[in-house]
């Protein structure tokens, strides 16, 4: 299960890794980039919002709610979840197990500032003294998480990046796709890119959006609840109820692209989980 990023004039939506049925003669043909009604129904049943940000075909699956990447296999495994109370920090049912180092590789086709941004994101996590440590590797073969670049068509369509949630086996999600034009097209600073990378890594180790229950808190517009999504949205104890834009959590669903290091509640959540 993955998450993705999209752009609006003012906000960057931060994104959280079937055989087709034959059409009947009475059905209108489905466009190649359209998500089928069957998949839409499954997403609704799982608690995802499909109206505020319509799902898109992406890679071998679908982009849902602005930063969730799901394959048909993901959808088949998920079960509808129970509602949870609104509160500040949330995590998925699956978390990364054990004390371990998570090595991260970034592809060579990114601008040099992205390496600096990745190093900054890694340093932010390592400063928290977690049982998970992070390092950058120059070898893609042994990397725990690989950051690869989106295609030019995806970048130019406004997709900023994607990440996913931990596996049932207790491993972090192993792939992040990232736009290479965050500086040139959107004017993000190195620290702004570091925040986006830290956000996607957050999804890979089990963080849901801070305002998953109402994306309007950070994204504006009508209230929109991401729902349990079949992966869990569990409140982290000792974090406050009700997300706020002013708190500037790195896991808010949308951002203006500015730098957002971990706030006090982010740190509480990190310490609680890891």
């Amino acid at each position: 299960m993955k998450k993705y990023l999209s752009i609006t004039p003012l906000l960057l939506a931060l994104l959280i890794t079937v055989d087709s049925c034959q059409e009947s003669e009475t059905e209108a043909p489905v466009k190649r980039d359209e998500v089928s009604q069957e998949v839409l129904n499954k997403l609704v049943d799982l608690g995802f919002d499909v109206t505020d940000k319509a799902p898109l075909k992406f890679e071998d699956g679908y982009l849902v709610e602005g930063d969730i990447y799901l394959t048909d296999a993901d959808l088949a495994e998920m079960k509808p979840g129970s509602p949870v109370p609104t509160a500040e920090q949330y995590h998925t049912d699956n978390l990364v197990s054990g004390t371990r180092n998570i090595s991260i590789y970034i592809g060579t086709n990114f601008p040099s500032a992205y390496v600096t941004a990745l190093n900054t994101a890694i340093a932010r996590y390592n400063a928290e003294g977690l049982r998970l440590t992070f390092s950058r590797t120059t070898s893609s073969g042994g990397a725990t998480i690989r950051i690869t670049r989106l295609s030019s068509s995806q970048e130019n369509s406004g997709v900023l990046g994607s990440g996913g949630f931990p596996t049932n086996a207790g491993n972090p999600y192993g792939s992040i796709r990232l736009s290479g034009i965050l500086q040139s097209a959107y004017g993000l600073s190195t620290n702004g890119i570091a925040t986006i990378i830290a956000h996607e890594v957050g999804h890979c180790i089990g963080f849901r959006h801070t305002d998953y229950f109402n994306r309007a808190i950070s994204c504006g517009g009508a209230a929109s609840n991401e729902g349990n999504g079949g992966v869990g949205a569990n409140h982290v104890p000792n974090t406050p109820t009700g997300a706020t834009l002013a708190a500037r959590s790195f896991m808010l669903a949308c951002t203006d692209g500015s730098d957002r290091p971990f706030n006090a509640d982010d740190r509480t959540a990190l310490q609680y989980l890891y």
Side-chain angles (χ1 to χ4, degrees):
M1 180 175 187
K2 264 188 187 173
K3 297 236 105 264
Y4 98 109
L5 300 159
S6 65
I7 184 80
T8 68
L10 296 178
L11 297 173
L12 307 176
L14 288 176
L15 316 183
I16 314 200
T17 20
V18 177
D19 294 330
S20 59
C21 298
Q22 185 176 1
E23 296 174 0
S24 69
E25 294 181 357
T26 59
E27 291 178 328
V30 177
K31 296 179 182 178
R32 286 191 306 169
D33 58 349
E34 269 186 3
V35 176
S36 71
Q37 189 61 50
E38 179 184 5
V39 171
L40 290 174
N41 291 343
K42 178 69 171 177
L43 291 170
V44 171
D45 289 343
L46 288 170
F48 289 108
D49 172 49
V50 299
T51 56
D52 183 58
K53 182 174 286 295
L56 304 171
K57 285 284 189 68
F58 183 77
E59 301 294 331
D60 295 323
Y62 317 97
L63 283 173
V64 184
E65 289 183 353
D67 76 345
I68 304 174
Y69 173 64
L70 300 171
T71 65
D72 289 302
D74 291 328
L75 293 176
E77 291 177 358
M78 292 178 182
K79 304 297 181 185
S82 302
V84 297
T86 58
E88 183 72 9
Q89 298 286 348
Y90 303 90
H91 66 88
T92 54
D93 295 335
N94 292 336
L95 295 173
V96 179
S97 60
T99 299
R100 60 194 297 182
N101 177 261
I102 295 174
S103 59
I104 305 175
Y105 168 81
I106 186 164
T108 58
N109 56 345
F110 286 98
S112 59
Y114 281 65
V115 173
T116 303
L118 174 57
N119 288 339
T120 298
I122 286 172
R124 290 179 181 180
Y125 279 104
N126 287 341
E128 300 306 312
L130 311 175
R131 62 176 172 81
L132 301 181
T133 57
F134 297 81
S135 61
R136 181 171 64 85
T137 178
T138 56
S139 172
S140 64
T144 312
I145 298 174
R146 298 173 183 83
I147 301 177
T148 56
R149 187 163 176 172
L150 293 164
S151 68
S152 59
S153 62
Q154 291 165 341
E155 290 178 338
N156 293 328
S157 67
V159 178
L160 302 185
S162 70
F165 296 131
T167 67
N168 290 331
N171 295 315
Y173 194 84
S175 174
I176 291 173
R177 301 292 307 280
L178 199 61
S179 170
I181 59 174
L182 296 175
Q183 282 182 309
S184 60
Y186 306 124
L188 268 66
S189 67
T190 301
N191 282 347
I193 297 171
T195 297
I196 289 177
I197 292 174
H199 178 106
E200 298 303 341
V201 171
H203 284 314
C204 291
I205 64 173
F207 276 86
R208 293 291 303 268
H209 287 146
T210 305
D211 55 346
Y212 96 95
F213 59 89
N214 183 6
R215 290 169 60 91
I217 290 171
S218 64
C219 301
S224 175
N225 191 325
E226 294 179 3
N228 179 285
V231 298
N234 306 295
H235 173 228
V236 176
N238 299 318
T239 61
T241 57
T244 65
L245 182 61
R248 295 174 55 79
S249 169
F250 83 115
M251 289 308 300
L252 284 169
C254 290
T255 181
D256 58 3
S258 61
D259 185 24
R260 287 197 319 229
F262 302 144
N263 67 22
D265 298 319
D266 296 332
R267 292 189 174 96
T268 296
L270 284 163
Q271 292 293 333
Y272 176 81
L273 295 180
Y274 296 112

